[in-house]
Amino acid sequence: MELYRVPVQIVPRPGILDPQGAAVVGALKTLGFASVVDVRIGRFLTVDVDADSAEAATLIVQRMCEKLLANPVIEDFALEAPRVQPRGKS
Amino acid sequence: MELYRVPVQIVPRPGILDPQGAAVVGALKTLGFASVVDVRIGRFLTVDVDADSAEAATLIVQRMCEKLLANPVIEDFALEAPRVQPRGKS
Amino acid sequence: MKFGIVTFPGSNGDYDAYHAAAEALGEEAVYLWHKDHDLKDSDVVILPGGFSYGDYLRAGAIARFSPIMTEVVAHAKRGAPILAICNGFQVACEAGLLPGALMRNISRRFISRVVTVRVENATSMFTHEYFAAQVLRLPIAHGDGRYIADPDVIASLEDDGRVAFRYSAPDGSIGDAYNVNGSVNSIAGILNESGNVLGLMPHPERAVDPLLGVPDGLGLFHSLLAGVAA
Amino acid sequence: MSEVLPRPGDPAITPELVKEHGLTPGEFDRVSKMLGRAPTFTELGIVSALWNEHCSYKHSKNTLRTLPTEGAAVIQGPGENAGVVRIGDGIAIAFKIESHNHPSAIEPYQGAATGVGGILRDVFTMGARPIAMLNSLRFGSLDSARNRYLFAGVVRGIGDYGNCIGVPTVAGEIVFDPAYDGNPLVNAMCVGMLREDELILAKAQGVGNSILCVGARTGRDGIHGASFASEDLSEASEAKRPRVQVGDPFTEKLLLEASLELIRSGHIVAIQDMGAAGLTSSSAEMAARGDVGVTIDTSLVPVRETGMTPYEILLSESQERMLVVALQGHEEAVRAILFKWDLTAEVIGKVIAEPVYRVTEGDTVVAEFPGSDLVTQCPRYDVPAREGADAIRLRAMDVSAIAELPEERDPAWTMLKLLASPTIASKRWAFQQYDSTVRTNTVVGPGGDAAVLRIRGTDRAIAVKTDCNGRYVALDPRVGGRIAVAEAARNVACTGARPLAITNCLNFGNPTRPEIFFQFTEAVAGISEACIALDTPVTGGNVSFYNESPTGSVYPTPVIGMVGVIDSLEHITRSTFRNVGDAIVLLGDCTDEIGGSEYLATVHGVTGGAPPGCDIVRERGVINTLLQAIQAGVVASAHDCSDGGLAIAIAECMMSDAEATTGADIDLAPWDSLPDRAVLFGEAQGRVIVSSGDADRVLQIAAENSVPARKIGVVRSRDEGLTIRVGRQKVRIGTDQLGEAYHTAIPKIMNTTAQAIVIDEVEGVLA
Ligand SMILES: Nc1ncnc2c1ncn2[C@@H]1O[C@H](COP(=O)(O)OP(=O)(O)O)[C@@H](O)[C@H]1O
Ligand SMILES: [Mg+2]
């Protein structure tokens, strides 16, 4: 058993209004960042799980996302590759 | 000029209490995901910018993070590698 | 005394602050538009409650870059009073007028109710009309009110008497059960180093009219008035 | 009329496509006749939007016509975005209620939030500043995880939207009953204030005037299901068209401020929000109200996504948008105001002399309808109404024969059980998530009988409340309809307010079923009777049909939103006992009725019997008595007797305000001849508990109004608790014990770590 950290990106589904992102684009432009074209804002989670392998860790976090972490009506999610995590640290 | 998409991860600084993360851990356990050890919740942004190169895109988004997107009192941020983005699509 | 109340896009406590100053106190009050660079000769600037920029990204994060904030910061530098209420407190922290940050309530829910807070510093320009350890009844209405800061910042706030208010029991005792949003050391309001910027989550401006309940917020405004008269 | 050709790429108009658009063959013929040809795809979309139940009221219009809509206070009755009544001093109140049931069932948070956003727009487009929000919610039992999830998500959605906008959420009601399993009801009401001369209507006028699209950009949100037929249902197109709209309260707040500024500016003649069916319904309805022609160019509409077709632009339900008719030549002034608020306004069309409703895409006409036929010629249906056998059987049930449980031998047990029933228990868990004090006008907030808001600059206040007992309506729709109005009026009167007018949200099942249509027409008849008798005309409302779950339709739930006026701030009255030693007086009378009661539902799991009778003349007498006594200064508190009956109402008077609890000593000997449980827990109508330092005067005023009234007890201190003498029993119970049951019931359920709660927690957290 290793401790794996699985990073999860959750983003609003395409076509879903993202008022936060729109507000941030406006703010960035006001701040002089003229080259900004779009911003979408979602959530970033790191999930630490005990698993036998990186594949197993991915699989379980995938299930967590489907079941709980993402709202399929308005969000998509993607997992990054698990990283082995030293124990006893968060 | 290309359009680059720069993914940004913003996470609570270590040591900062994350009650949301704690609630999610509890929820996952209740749902039977016994192997979950910890969850930290932050923000995931994709910033689309016009830039001459991937390096330039990274640099400008880095500046955005320092100025607006992350609050150094409570958050750390990390950029992923920029990806060239086809135009006219959000 | 002239009160200048900043209206950011998404502010909604500006109206309450205005009426507290103009009606309950009978003082002059003006709204200050976020896009302007003009404090209209206000003596006291109020950063009001509400949801500036929808609280999108982080509460207060975008508002701090409004043009008017340049003048507000300069006003603070001059030692003039700034009263930062609720969302205003969040803006003030983001702008560096006050240390620390306000995070999601520990209950993770928005909380709207009357709370009791204890006056910790009864000598500041905002609070000298209260007596030390006086317990006030004030409304709160926020989702992101959990005050946090680095331990050394907290230590200096405590050591310098810059904690202005703490959530407390009705009898003034302090404890987790009364720490409504989980703030470090039950902190409900703090002062900056020179004592001319007060940030607090409770709403004194909503507690100035006996028709609506105990008018415990009046003392704060009277302190400001008396300070100028003195 | 122009020639209208199909747009390249339009699907062929087949019977299947017509059906997918929700049109019957008869309705299709009607359109074809109106046009003198078959409609194009774009036109089919327009018709399907305007003629669906939600916009056209095709099954309800004929019935709604029977409601009384006129009265001295009414400035604007049904037909506009909101009703408007005058309250004196040149001040008027605009108010309206609307449902968002189905979106909330899919995505409770966004569904409820966008419901709040929509009703806010209805009110501020009248020129009124929103000053209060209310909500009326129905969920299945909280024993189910899904229902807890829906409850928590809806409450959070309502809170987040209203809190962000800065309009206090001050009152409402929440009922839990298995009848709402799978089909929650989420009705939101908004109340706004304006000066009478600031009223503006949504009536397009002035040939040559410009039509502007204002506010948020248009995306592919909520385009109704039928539009999926327009292309292959690939994964990509699925993803392109989210079923739920996401609310943006921040933009709405800007839109609110900008709209009010716009209305006061004199640059515009009409304004209307884009609600259901978006641009289509707002433009067609504005044109029809003004009896003018309009032309709209979809290529000028600011969009958020590329490649949107006219069909999509017309039917999009993107939120936070308005349609404005500006005076010719004033377009730039309009844009300047919106610009100030960081919003955009684009001219997208014109008011024209030619009597047509025309849509173009650039220069190409893509849809055209003669005159306002689209709106005025929509079909109307009367369905045969026949009462369902189930309702008849349930009503006839002899509920007095239901044996008492052994535990009931101690009525204190029953009291605690009822107080902890989620429908009766304190809803603080929910309303503590609503900012109820912003704008500093809330004199009585959530938790009272009705909310009271002072009107600044006057000595007046208004009282507002929503009410409906769906169980009563299910058992006897006419009586239930009457009671809904009477109870709302009583609640408002308990605060010292004269009931003025109502709005209503009629939540029913599938109207094409005769038993549902029977419920609908009967309930509306009951509402009419009560409104006429109480002189509270109907100024508007909303109908929500097809509230059905797999197990059947919901209880018919015609929610009443009542507004009353208090002429002097001195008369504002609260529901809880104030002074130890005051006499407790019951206005009205006890009966042996227990049919349809919360007692039967909670203790015996029974929905049955006839609901309590509603003598509307008596109701009026009780309200008059109450108001006269309040105005005479002899009422310390007044609380309406409803769910759970007299015993529960008394307990609430003692402890619902946790910070000022009292005790009471009650003697119900006058009703010894009635069954104890009917006296304690029966829900006889027309009753109010008053505490007074001058009971004789209260009794005298009651007598003058021919209202039965009796002194039933005395307010005691909290330490003395509650004592009730009833029949041969003496019930004793501590105030704190009652308070504990009442205040902790819902938190205990919602703050567990049960799976669904956690799911909501997580979504709440992650939102
Ligand atoms: N139950 C009702 N009683 C009276 N009037 C109603 C009722 N339902 C709807 N109306 C009126 O019909 C009109 C159309 O309502 P509605 O379609 O809900 O408005 P919106 O366009 O805001 O959705 C409104 O003026 C409304 O007041
Ligand atoms: Mg409308």
Side-chain angles (χ1 to χ4, degrees):
Chain A
M1 275 287 198
E2 290 274 12
L3 180 63
Y4 288 94
R5 170 160 299 177
V6 186
V8 181
Q9 303 166 354
I10 302 178
V11 292
R13 288 178 58 180
I16 285 274
L17 179 70
D18 176 15
Q20 292 212 63
V24 169
V25 170
L28 287 171
K29 286 206 194 284
T30 317
L31 287 177
F33 293 102
S35 61
V36 62
V37 173
D38 194 19
V39 175
R40 304 278 285 174
I41 302 188
R43 294 178 269 123
F44 180 76
L45 283 72
T46 55
V47 183
D48 294 358
V49 288
D50 284 321
D52 286 329
S53 65
E55 293 69 44
T58 300
L59 218 68
I60 190 119
V61 175
Q62 170 100 22
R63 286 231 314 282
M64 291 176 184
C65 287
E66 286 160 2
K67 202 140 183 206
L68 177 73
L69 302 178
N71 179 347
V73 183
I74 48 179
E75 295 170 330
D76 291 332
F77 67 88
L79 307 191
E80 294 181 24
R83 286 167 271 199
V84 175
Q85 197 63 12
R87 297 249 167 212
K89 251 201 72 185
S90 79
Chain B
M1 277 287 197
E2 291 274 13
L3 180 61
Y4 288 93
R5 170 160 297 177
V6 186
V8 181
Q9 303 165 354
I10 301 177
V11 291
R13 280 178 50 189
I16 294 269
L17 181 66
D18 177 14
Q20 286 107 321
V24 172
V25 171
L28 287 169
K29 287 205 193 284
T30 317
L31 288 176
F33 293 103
S35 61
V36 61
V37 173
D38 194 20
V39 175
R40 303 278 286 173
I41 300 180
R43 259 184 269 278
F44 180 76
L45 284 74
T46 56
V47 183
D48 294 359
V49 287
D50 284 322
D52 287 328
S53 66
E55 294 69 42
T58 300
L59 217 68
I60 191 120
V61 175
Q62 170 101 22
R63 288 227 315 282
M64 291 174 183
C65 287
E66 287 160 1
K67 192 135 191 212
L68 173 70
L69 301 180
N71 178 347
V73 178
I74 45 176
E75 296 165 333
D76 291 330
F77 67 88
L79 307 191
E80 293 180 24
R83 285 167 272 200
V84 175
Q85 198 62 11
R87 298 249 166 212
K89 254 203 68 188
S90 78
Chain C
M1 173 170 271
K2 188 165 180 179
F3 288 82
I5 296 121
V6 177
T7 301
F8 297 110
S11 291
N12 58 45
D14 49 344
Y15 173 91
D16 296 332
Y18 179 93
H19 283 89
E23 277 176 19
L25 299 182
E27 298 293 317
E28 196 180 347
V30 287
Y31 289 112
L32 306 174
W33 186 241
H34 67 110
K35 287 180 192 167
D36 292 343
H37 274 282
D38 183 3
L39 298 185
K40 299 186 182 164
D41 297 321
S42 303
D43 301 302
V44 179
V45 170
I46 300 183
L47 299 178
F51 287 74
S52 57
Y53 292 92
D55 274 4
Y56 294 153
L57 193 61
R58 293 183 309 277
I62 300 180
R64 72 166 270 218
F65 291 108
S66 295
I68 194 84
M69 284 304 290
T70 321
E71 313 318 314
V72 173
V73 171
H75 193 70
K77 290 237 169 76
R78 287 192 293 271
I82 294 180
L83 173 56
I85 304 167
C86 197
N87 189 235
F89 188 10
Q90 295 158 343
V91 174
C93 286
E94 285 280 342
L97 287 170
L98 291 168
L102 292 146
M103 300 191 67
R104 195 74 197 157
N105 295 343
I106 196 96
S107 69
R108 306 179 304 282
R109 293 185 194 283
F110 192 95
I111 306 173
S112 164
R113 51 172 282 208
V114 172
V115 296
T116 39
V117 299
R118 191 174 77 186
V119 179
E120 299 293 290
N121 173 330
T123 58
S124 79
M125 67 166 84
F126 301 95
T127 54
H128 60 87
E129 290 281 304
Y130 296 121
F131 54 83
Q134 184 175 346
V135 175
L136 314 176
R137 288 172 52 85
L138 295 173
I140 58 164
H142 61 248
D144 300 285
R146 177 166 53 103
Y147 182 75
I148 67 151
D150 286 342
D152 51 321
V153 172
I154 298 289
S156 82
L157 287 173
E158 296 286 1
D159 293 348
D160 302 347
R162 286 161 55 202
V163 174
F165 302 103
R166 244 185 267 277
Y167 303 108
S168 77
D171 68 3
S173 56
I174 307 292
D176 283 351
Y178 302 96
N179 187 3
V180 62
N181 51 28
S183 293
V184 173
N185 294 0
S186 296
I187 289 172
I190 57 168
L191 294 155
N192 68 342
E193 271 178 41
S194 22
N196 64 316
V197 179
L198 170 67
L200 77 172
M201 289 314 294
H203 286 279
E205 83 288 12
R206 296 191 193 177
V208 294
D209 187 339
L211 180 67
L212 308 185
V214 186
D216 277 351
L218 275 177
L220 196 152
F221 293 95
H222 286 150
S223 296
L224 283 167
L225 290 179
V228 164
Chain D
M1 298 290 287
S2 331
E3 189 184 9
V4 184
L5 298 172
R7 209 173 158 270
D10 275 359
I13 308 295
T14 60
E16 292 72 47
L17 190 69
V18 170
K19 188 161 174 229
E20 281 165 43
H21 277 75
L23 291 187
T24 64
E27 287 169 346
F28 184 75
D29 288 346
R30 203 178 169 102
V31 191
S32 304
K33 212 171 283 160
M34 178 188 297
L35 293 172
R37 60 179 166 80
T40 64
F41 178 58
T42 308
E43 288 167 338
L44 184 62
I46 292 174
V47 173
S48 81
L50 281 171
W51 288 8
N52 85 5
E53 190 66 50
H54 197 80
C55 287
S56 72
Y57 289 83
K58 56 189 170 191
H59 285 99
S60 60
K61 203 90 173 193
N62 290 341
T63 309
L64 295 179
R65 273 211 191 100
T66 62
L67 288 166
T69 59
E70 289 178 6
V74 178
I75 298 176
Q76 176 64 55
E80 276 284 339
N81 285 330
V84 182
V85 292
R86 65 172 62 83
I87 60 164
D89 295 328
I91 307 277
I93 296 295
F95 65 112
K96 169 104 188 274
I97 190 167
E98 208 154 72
S99 65
H100 235 214
N101 305 340
H102 297 130
S104 303
I106 297 172
E107 219 301 304
Y109 178 83
Q110 295 294 350
T114 50
V116 170
I119 195 63
L120 274 157
R121 288 192 295 282
D122 274 341
V123 164
F124 69 73
T125 48
M126 302 300 291
R129 153 91 46 194
I131 58 170
M133 295 292 313
L134 297 87
N135 56 87
S136 174
L137 312 178
R138 302 289 183 285
F139 303 96
S141 160
L142 286 181
D143 294 342
S144 126
R146 173 81 192 164
N147 291 331
R148 293 193 297 264
Y149 162 72
L150 290 172
F151 173 43
V154 164
V155 165
R156 200 160 44 76
I158 289 172
D160 281 1
Y161 206 103
N163 297 346
C164 185
I165 291 273
V167 178
T169 300
V170 297
E173 45 165 355
I174 311 176
V175 170
F176 303 93
D177 193 296
Y180 302 100
D181 256 328
N183 196 321
L185 301 184
V186 176
N187 296 176
M189 169 168 163
C190 180
V191 180
M193 192 183 84
L194 68 162
R195 301 204 58 84
E196 284 183 40
D197 56 13
E198 289 167 339
L199 180 65
I200 182 166
L201 302 179
K203 192 194 251 186
Q205 46 191 312
V207 170
N209 283 341
S210 293
I211 299 175
L212 292 94
C213 183
V214 162
R217 290 173 171 274
T218 299
R220 290 189 170 95
D221 317 65
I223 297 167
H224 62 85
S227 70
F228 291 153
S230 63
E231 62 183 79
D232 287 344
L233 249 189
S234 64
E235 287 264 288
S237 71
E238 244 290 271
K240 254 194 326 197
R241 292 185 171 145
R243 282 187 304 166
V244 292
Q245 295 106 270
V246 170
D248 180 1
F250 169 58
T251 297
E252 176 111 333
K253 166 74 173 163
L254 302 181
L255 198 55
L256 156 65
E257 298 300 338
S259 298
L260 291 180
E261 198 170 324
L262 205 54
I263 291 164
R264 313 283 193 259
S265 74
H267 295 305
I268 68 171
V269 298
I271 181 168
Q272 152 112 18
D273 88 297
M274 295 194 210
L279 179 55
T280 296
S281 81
S282 53
S283 55
E285 285 172 11
M286 276 230 264
R289 286 197 196 103
D291 201 13
V292 292
V294 298
T295 172
I296 302 270
D297 180 353
T298 57
S299 72
L300 299 176
V301 175
V303 290
R304 192 177 80 234
E305 294 169 62
T306 49
M308 288 184 70
T309 64
Y311 180 103
E312 291 174 318
I313 291 170
L314 286 164
L315 297 187
S316 160
E317 296 193 345
S318 289
Q319 300 288 299
E320 290 93 22
R321 298 179 301 158
M322 301 282 209
L323 202 63
V324 163
V325 182
L327 287 169
Q328 202 172 358
H330 292 238
E331 296 84 355
E332 280 315 305
V334 168
R335 292 165 66 142
I337 290 174
L338 281 136
F339 184 73
K340 174 183 159 193
W341 291 99
D342 300 325
L343 295 169
T344 55
E346 293 302 332
V347 174
I348 61 162
K350 258 195 181 351
V351 178
I352 55 176
E354 194 184 345
V356 293
Y357 176 75
R358 178 180 296 144
V359 181
T360 66
E361 181 185 25
D363 292 334
T364 315
V365 178
V366 293
E368 188 169 289
F369 294 90
S372 39
D373 285 5
L374 251 184
V375 175
T376 54
Q377 297 300 305
C378 84
R380 292 282 148 72
Y381 301 110
D382 268 319
V383 179
R386 195 174 344 98
E387 181 157 37
D390 280 356
I392 296 171
R393 187 176 50 77
L394 286 176
R395 186 169 57 240
M397 186 192 284
D398 178 10
V399 289
S400 66
I402 294 173
E404 288 192 15
L405 304 179
E407 295 92 326
E408 285 183 64
R409 243 170 275 140
D410 180 7
W413 176 88
T414 318
M415 278 188 83
L416 291 175
K417 187 150 177 81
L418 284 172
L419 286 170
S421 134
T423 294
I424 290 178
S426 168
K427 307 304 185 298
R428 171 183 281 267
W429 182 88
F431 65 68
Q432 190 166 285
Q433 298 181 54
Y434 305 148
D435 187 345
S436 55
T437 54
V438 66
R439 297 195 67 74
T440 44
N441 294 320
T442 311
V443 184
V444 179
D449 274 25
V452 177
L453 298 137
R454 58 115 168 254
I455 303 296
R456 257 179 224 280
T458 74
D459 191 33
R460 289 174 207 277
I462 59 165
V464 289
K465 181 69 172 81
T466 64
D467 271 303
C468 178
N469 185 321
R471 199 186 295 125
Y472 295 168
V473 188
L475 292 169
D476 186 335
R478 186 174 292 239
V479 172
R482 245 188 259 150
I483 290 177
V485 177
E487 186 181 346
R490 228 184 294 133
N491 273 314
V492 157
C494 281
T495 67
R498 179 163 39 87
L500 214 53
I502 70 157
T503 180
N504 64 112
C505 194
L506 307 176
N507 305 274
F508 287 77
N510 178 348
T512 62
R513 285 165 45 199
E515 67 273 25
I516 301 289
F517 202 67
F518 175 87
Q519 292 175 334
F520 180 70
T521 50
E522 282 292 295
V524 168
I527 291 170
S528 283
E529 290 165 5
C531 285
I532 290 168
L534 298 176
D535 194 17
T536 52
V538 179
T539 64
N542 174 246
V543 178
S544 171
F545 282 135
Y546 303 101
N547 290 291
E548 307 259 346
S549 70
T551 53
S553 58
V554 300
Y555 284 154
T557 311
V559 174
I560 303 300
M562 175 79 68
V563 172
V565 62
I566 304 175
D567 291 321
S568 165
L569 296 176
E570 278 185 6
H571 297 154
I572 296 172
T573 304
R574 290 164 202 268
S575 64
T576 51
F577 294 146
R578 309 213 81 69
N579 317 305
V580 172
D582 275 356
I584 300 170
V585 173
L586 177 67
L587 303 182
D589 206 355
C590 297
T591 69
D592 64 355
E593 295 162 302
I594 57 167
S597 63
E598 188 64 30
Y599 159 80
L600 282 182
T602 300
V603 177
H604 295 279
V606 168
T607 293
C614 178
D615 173 350
I616 204 74
V617 175
R618 165 71 62 80
E619 294 282 358
R620 200 177 57 198
V622 168
I623 288 168
N624 288 342
T625 302
L626 190 54
L627 293 178
Q628 287 163 21
I630 287 171
Q631 283 155 18
V634 294
V635 174
S637 74
H639 181 41
D640 142 70
C641 217
S642 62
D643 296 353
L646 183 59
I648 296 306
I650 290 168
E652 288 168 347
C653 290
M654 292 165 44
M655 56 66 191
S656 73
D657 177 356
E659 298 193 359
T661 55
T662 52
D665 191 352
I666 304 287
D667 187 351
L668 302 177
W671 296 284
D672 272 355
S673 61
L674 302 177
D676 291 354
R677 63 176 177 178
V679 176
L680 292 171
F681 307 118
E683 296 173 6
Q685 294 297 297
R687 294 186 299 170
V688 172
I689 295 167
V690 166
S691 70
S692 169
D694 186 351
D696 291 342
R697 183 86 180 90
V698 175
L699 295 176
Q700 182 197 342
I701 293 170
E704 287 161 13
N705 284 285
S706 315
V707 166
R710 262 180 223 281
K711 181 173 167 207
I712 58 168
V714 180
V715 179
R716 297 284 193 217
S717 74
R718 160 176 167 251
D719 300 339
E720 291 168 280
L722 173 65
T723 306
I724 305 180
R725 263 168 299 273
V726 56
R728 292 207 306 276
Q729 315 191 64
K730 187 163 169 183
V731 191
R732 290 196 59 102
I733 186 161
T735 299
D736 290 352
Q737 215 184 336
L738 295 168
E740 156 88 11
Y742 178 78
H743 287 290
T744 64
I746 291 180
K748 272 189 198 147
I749 297 169
M750 297 306 289
N751 296 348
T752 61
T753 51
Q755 173 172 329
I757 297 306
V758 176
I759 292 175
D760 171 76
E761 288 281 326
V762 172
E763 291 195 348
V765 171
L766 300 180

